[in-house]
Amino acid sequence: MRFAPEVKFPWITYSDLWTLGGVCAIQEMQGPTVPWRPGRHDKDIAGCSPEGRLPDAAKEQRHVRAVFSRMGFSDQETVALIGAHALGRCHTTASGYDGPWTFSPTVFTNDYYKLLLDDKWTERQWKGPRQFQDATSKSLVMLPTDIALINDNEYRKDVRRYADDPSTFFLEFSAAYVKLLELGVPFEEGSEKMRIEFGRRN
């Protein structure tokens, strides 16, 4: 079943609109251009994945690997996707956790990886769930699933690659994000990805 966001725009589904919004937001925050194509169908609540299918931030690398490998992602792709933690922050009212991952949470950078490796992370003493804070400013957050990336030897290799080379991170994040956005989508044969450019030239 397809639902138009408004009768005025019957040619786009909510699912396409939300994913397109994510692609555009990443670019507007100085991140990579992510190829995108329409073709997602909206469904009601019965078509949603059950609770517990997403990564649990309180767990560690075995759980992270199990969740992402179930969706067909390699270790490298997993580390690339989690690099989106360069953006935004945790809110106690939403997740129970508190704080931003980086000092520039509205700019898409590889700072998340550099901070993971270069700073010292200690467990925060507070009444909330288990999380870590940086030793330097005590204002940044890392969750157990973030620390898992440097405690796991295979994950850590890609954390180092992305910390050292932002261009590689951008390229591989874009590819992994396209794969995430297209999981299970019944695209029509021959549909081509579009490069959505805002204020940029190819």
Side-chain angles (χ1 to χ4, degrees):
M1 184 181 298
R2 293 172 65 90
F3 300 97
E6 293 182 23
V7 176
K8 187 177 179 180
F9 304 105
W11 50 270
I12 189 168
T13 62
Y14 278 112
S15 301
D16 276 342
L17 185 61
W18 290 332
T19 54
L20 177 59
V23 164
C24 294
I26 288 170
Q27 183 175 298
E28 287 298 290
M29 289 185 281
Q30 301 177 37
T33 298
V34 179
W36 178 90
R37 57 179 165 169
R40 296 157 190 83
H41 293 190
D42 294 332
K43 294 185 178 181
D44 59 24
I45 191 68
C48 296
S49 296
E51 292 292 330
R53 298 283 282 177
L54 295 176
D56 183 342
K59 296 184 178 180
E60 298 178 346
Q61 52 263 44
R62 182 180 298 178
H63 171 74
V64 174
R65 184 169 280 111
V67 171
F68 280 91
S69 63
R70 172 177 54 77
M71 295 187 288
F73 290 104
S74 67
D75 284 353
Q76 171 264 307
E77 291 169 324
T78 299
V79 176
L81 287 171
I82 295 176
H85 280 178
L87 301 173
R89 60 173 294 133
C90 299
H91 298 272
T92 54
T93 53
S95 65
Y97 298 100
D98 176 55
W101 286 273
T102 71
F103 293 110
S104 56
T106 60
V107 182
F108 197 95
T109 67
N110 68 331
D111 288 353
Y112 167 77
Y113 303 108
K114 293 192 289 186
L115 288 163
L116 257 179
L117 291 171
D118 296 342
D119 219 320
K120 182 178 180 180
W121 297 93
T122 58
E123 193 167 335
R124 180 179 176 183
Q125 302 303 309
W126 72 315
K127 295 181 180 180
R130 183 171 179 250
Q131 67 178 59
F132 299 83
Q133 64 184 11
D134 65 305
T136 305
S137 71
K138 295 183 171 57
S139 65
L140 300 179
V141 61
M142 289 291 171
L143 310 179
T145 46
D146 297 310
I147 299 300
L149 299 187
I150 54 174
N151 286 342
D152 184 278
N153 290 335
E154 293 304 311
Y155 284 154
R156 191 183 180 99
K157 293 176 185 177
D158 290 305
V159 171
R160 170 53 65 191
R161 285 198 308 119
Y162 296 149
D164 291 343
D165 188 351
S167 296
T168 295
F169 167 48
F170 274 32
L171 182 66
E172 294 184 4
F173 173 85
S174 179
Y177 192 51
V178 168
K179 182 175 176 178
L180 177 66
L181 294 182
E182 298 196 347
L183 280 178
V185 180
F187 292 109
E188 295 180 6
E189 186 175 350
S191 63
E192 296 183 359
K193 295 182 178 71
M194 295 180 277
R195 292 177 59 85
I196 311 298
E197 300 280 349
F198 290 90
R200 298 184 182 182
R201 296 182 179 178
N202 290 329

